[in-house]
Amino acid sequence: MSQNVAEFVWKRLNEWELSRVYGYPGDGVGGLDVALEKAKGFMDYVQVRHEEMAAFMASAHAKFTGQPGLCYATSGPGAIHLLTGLYDAKMDHVPVVAIVGQQARSALGASYQQEVDLQTLFADVCEYVITAVVPEQVRTCIDRAVRIAQNKRTVTCVIIPNDLQEVAYEHPPMAHGATHTGTGYPGVATLPDPDDLKKAAGILNAGDKVAMLVGAGALHATDEVIAVANRLNAGVAKALLGKAALPDELPFVTGSLGLLGTKPSWDLMKQCDTFLMVGSAFPYSEFLPKPGNARGVQIDIDGARVSLRYPMEYSLVGDSKATLAALLPLLDQNGNSKWRQKIEKEVSDWWETLEDRAMEPADPVNPQRIFHELSPRLPDNVIMTGDSGSVANWYARDIRIRRGMMGSLSGGLASLGAATPYALAAKMAYSDRPVIGFIGDGAMQMNGLNVMITASKYWKDWADPRFILMVLNNQDLNQVTWEERVQLGEGKTPLTQSIPDFPYHQYAELLGFKGIYCDDPDQVGAAWDEALASDVPVIMNMRADPNVPPLPPHITLKDAKHFMTMMKDEPELASVIKNSARQLLAGVLPGKD
């Protein structure tokens, strides 16, 4: 049956087993728009409110499903709008394919309306970017874009001029200068050489106090990580993208590492003599062991990422699950039970400290309590998304993730406004699972309100209606405020940091959702119960105190000096001092429960 180029594009993408595309229409993709209507039997189209959200959703789709994410946009401004979400995928190493329109081939080079040099625009964010110019070329463009994205866990882009989209499709000829590509994902080298495994095992067997750090590359290797950790008597810290790699119920799991991390994770890294890093590109070297203090072994699927943050003694290039399974028989049982017992005692004490901090009074609600009250109420198969900002601190620390749960956020890019498109993509991929997004009021005002309009278009088709967006409403761009206080020694600058209040719960009702408002700490648990029992999506407007400090796991002398310097021009000094003192002394003063 005859078909035009646009119709072939969607058919070919489906032959790659891609069945959902996030996008927004326009005349630069007019032929693709029309072809999508004809392809709705096999291609699920999600109409977003802004192209940036399409790219974020494609990135989240890849993170939650393991399949390449797919987005598309029109020429000019539509293509430009994709960039932030595409960079999110690039920096977190997940596969995303972008299909982008362009002005007619005959107009290119004439400064035509919406003509943008898309090859140059996408050159940095994409591993592969190509403009199709004849129908016989399109199959190769699509096949290479999907294969490269999947194989290299990166972003690719195919640019299709709008006039080409409506031309009759033709297969490449059997002639010199033509290529004939096929579908099928390439296999990857999953196992290092046996001699390399023996060398790495020798380093780990010689260790006395072993620490592990796992990231997103270990999300599919939970059992193998546990087995190796038990064999080595190791404590295990988690990079934030790897939060779901291990359940927090395990007593040797120290939680997140870094600025948003825990004191047990800090102590683990600073006191170990052997360091095993699995599936992580954790960026903050100052939180890792001091070079020379620990022998290092790293496992990563990408050889370009090894020995990048810490000078490893030996690195293994391979899939984390397969590599750990092959390494395990070569590992001796570590006999230092006192090291593991010390870690477990510190982890137990830390969870008590977090509870004490969460239950400290604030004005009106302590943000930590919001997450602390939710944690034991979480459904077993929940998917959680977090935004950049202070919500990421509390998600990282106060949520005790269990096996079977999923969670993610914008890691390497740390972009504001990712939680809502992430949450919606999770729900579109798993409509039978409850989804909870954590977002600050700044991010909600930036784009979250629009994403909830998209949710209102599709939610009635979901098998499970539980879709909860919790807005941490403190009328402050809170993470930056605290960064400037501690890192710059400057008080809050209301001109840039204060943001307007907004009735998020009432906005929910305009969309046909349930709105919940809470400004009473004793009603936080009841608010979560109401949200989790709802048969329609929910927006929670939770009034939180902006001056509860996200304390780092280790306070340096420099941080302390900046905090003292900040006092001279801090407009909310009394509240900052009071809350900081409460948090520092939580669980320390006698007489506390």
Side-chain angles (χ1 to χ4, degrees), residues 2 12-13 23-24 64-65 125 133 157 251-252 263 289 305 369 390 429 467 487 529 550 584:
S2 62
R12 191 63 170 182
L13 287 166
Y24 201 78
F64 288 124
T65 69
V125 72
V133 293
C157 177
F252 56 85
K263 187 177 185 301
R305 311 296 297 181
R369 182 165 182 173
S390 60
F467 181 77
Q487 296 178 13
D529 289 336
L584 285 168

Side-chain angles (χ1 to χ4, degrees), residues 341-573:
Q341 291 167 3
K342 174 181 177 293
I343 293 167
E344 293 182 356
K345 175 65 165 58
E346 291 177 348
V347 170
S348 177
D349 291 346
W350 175 253
W351 283 116
E352 292 179 6
T353 297
L354 284 182
E355 181 174 8
D356 290 335
R357 288 181 178 179
M359 300 309 289
E360 286 291 340
D363 182 21
V365 177
N366 184 333
Q368 294 163 109
R369 182 165 182 173
I370 297 170
F371 291 79
H372 173 74
E373 294 275 8
L374 169 64
S375 193
R377 293 175 164 86
L378 286 169
D380 288 337
N381 62 340
V382 70
I383 303 175
M384 292 171 284
T385 68
D387 217 288
S388 298
S390 60
V391 293
N393 290 279
W394 317 130
Y395 163 71
R397 294 182 185 173
D398 291 273
I399 293 294
R400 299 186 74 158
I401 204 158
R402 304 192 301 272
R403 187 186 280 264
M405 296 178 178
M406 300 172 73
S408 196
L409 37 63
S410 177
L413 190 63
S415 177
L416 200 65
T420 40
Y422 268 43
L424 187 54
K427 195 65 179 180
M428 299 303 290
Y430 303 100
S431 76
D432 59 337
R433 297 179 65 165
V435 173
I436 302 175
F438 308 118
I439 190 169
D441 47 0
M444 188 65 174
Q445 292 180 20
M446 179 178 283
N447 59 36
L449 295 170
N450 283 346
V451 175
M452 295 308 287
I453 298 175
T454 304
S456 72
K457 179 179 173 72
Y458 294 105
W459 78 270
K460 291 182 180 179
D461 295 329
W462 297 339
D464 184 331
R466 287 177 294 176
F467 181 77
I468 302 167
L469 201 65
M470 189 283 292
V471 183
L472 200 67
N473 183 359
N474 52 30
Q475 297 171 52
D476 179 42
L477 298 175
N478 198 232
Q479 187 81 349
V480 174
T481 294
W482 277 104
E483 287 172 347
E484 292 177 354
R485 283 168 175 158
V486 176
Q487 296 178 13
L488 301 181
E490 299 289 342
K492 178 179 177 177
T493 53
L495 179 68
T496 61
Q497 300 309 109
S498 296
I499 60 176
D501 194 10
F502 184 86
Y504 306 100
H505 57 299
Q506 295 177 5
Y507 177 74
E509 295 169 357
L510 291 176
L511 297 175
F513 298 164
K514 176 184 285 292
I516 297 175
Y517 177 83
C518 182
D519 61 0
D520 181 348
D522 293 329
Q523 294 301 312
V524 170
W528 280 118
D529 289 336
E530 183 180 359
L532 289 165
S534 177
D535 58 0
V536 299
V538 177
I539 299 178
M540 303 176 73
N541 186 357
M542 307 296 279
R543 294 299 297 267
D545 191 332
N547 292 326
V548 174
L551 293 175
H554 176 75
I555 299 174
T556 66
L557 180 61
K558 182 180 179 181
D559 292 339
K561 286 181 177 179
H562 282 162
F563 190 81
M564 298 300 291
T565 304
M566 169 273 299
M567 292 183 182
K568 69 182 186 303
D569 58 3
E570 171 55 55
E572 299 170 8
L573 183 60

Side-chain angles (χ1 to χ4, degrees), residues 208-235:
D208 185 46
K209 296 183 290 185
V210 183
M212 294 176 65
L213 172 63
V214 299
L219 287 170
H220 67 306
T222 300
D223 291 331
E224 289 74 17
V225 170
I226 293 171
V228 169
N230 284 331
R231 185 68 56 86
L232 297 173
N233 258 334

Side-chain angles (χ1 to χ4, degrees), residues 154-353:
T154 191
V155 178
T156 60
C157 177
V158 178
I159 302 163
I160 307 177
N162 58 10
D163 61 325
L164 178 61
Q165 296 167 29
E166 298 188 71
V167 174
Y169 173 74
E170 294 182 23
H171 289 300
M174 288 297 296
H176 184 72
T179 63
H180 297 260
T181 54
T183 59
Y185 294 117
V188 295
T190 59
L191 270 178
D193 185 85
D195 288 339
D196 292 328
L197 289 167
K198 290 177 182 178
K199 292 174 183 177
I203 296 170
L204 298 172
N205 286 334
D208 185 46
K209 296 183 290 185
V210 183
M212 294 176 65
L213 172 63
V214 299
L219 287 170
H220 67 306
T222 300
D223 291 331
E224 289 74 17
V225 170
I226 293 171
V228 169
N230 284 331
R231 185 68 56 86
L232 297 173
N233 258 334
V236 186
K238 300 187 286 187
L240 193 48
L241 286 175
K243 183 174 175 66
L246 285 180
D248 289 309
E249 295 166 322
L250 295 172
F252 56 85
V253 173
T254 60
S256 297
L257 182 69
L259 290 168
L260 314 185
T262 73
K263 187 177 185 301
S265 290
W266 168 271
D267 292 340
L268 176 73
M269 292 294 144
K270 297 307 175 182
Q271 296 170 12
C272 69
D273 62 22
T274 307
F275 176 41
L276 174 58
M277 187 173 179
V278 183
S280 176
F282 179 81
Y284 306 117
S285 295
E286 68 270 25
F287 289 91
L288 300 178
K290 183 179 179 180
N293 283 5
R295 302 177 72 184
V297 172
Q298 185 173 358
I299 299 170
D300 201 282
I301 194 71
D302 184 354
R305 311 296 297 181
V306 299
S307 213
L308 181 64
R309 312 301 185 195
Y310 187 81
M312 298 294 175
E313 187 170 337
Y314 213 80
S315 295
L316 301 173
V317 178
D319 172 75
S320 60
K321 182 180 179 71
T323 302
L324 288 171
L327 187 63
L328 183 64
L330 305 177
L331 298 176
D332 300 332
Q333 180 60 55
N334 182 289
N336 188 358
S337 58
K338 290 183 178 180
W339 169 248
R340 174 67 80 86
Q341 291 167 3
K342 174 181 177 293
I343 293 167
E344 293 182 356
K345 175 65 165 58
E346 291 177 348
V347 170
S348 177
D349 291 346
W350 175 253
W351 283 116
E352 292 179 6
T353 297

Side-chain angles (χ1 to χ4, degrees), residues 16-134:
W16 278 96
E17 299 181 349
L18 303 185
S19 59
R20 178 170 294 113
V21 59
Y22 298 94
Y24 201 78
D27 60 2
V29 285
L32 289 165
D33 291 340
V34 173
L36 257 181
E37 182 71 24
K38 299 177 181 179
K40 61 186 178 182
F42 59 84
M43 184 63 68
D44 180 20
Y45 167 58
V46 180
Q47 182 201 71
V48 300
R49 314 270 69 74
H50 189 285
E51 292 91 352
E52 181 178 313
M53 301 302 99
F56 269 128
M57 290 178 192
S59 177
H61 177 91
K63 289 182 179 182
F64 288 124
T65 69
Q67 299 174 327
L70 181 61
C71 60
Y72 91 112
T74 189
S75 56
I80 295 168
H81 286 162
L82 290 175
L83 285 177
T84 302
L86 295 182
Y87 271 105
D88 177 67
K90 175 185 178 178
M91 296 182 71
D92 283 349
H93 312 289
V94 294
V96 167
V97 177
I99 306 297
V100 177
Q102 179 58 290
Q103 294 306 302
R105 291 166 291 176
S106 60
L108 296 180
S111 296
Y112 200 75
Q113 184 187 36
Q114 292 191 341
E115 181 191 350
V116 173
D117 184 354
L118 298 180
Q119 289 278 159
T120 300
L121 180 74
F122 287 103
D124 181 58
V125 72
C126 290
E127 179 76 18
Y128 172 80
V129 54
I130 187 68
T131 300
V133 293
V134 293

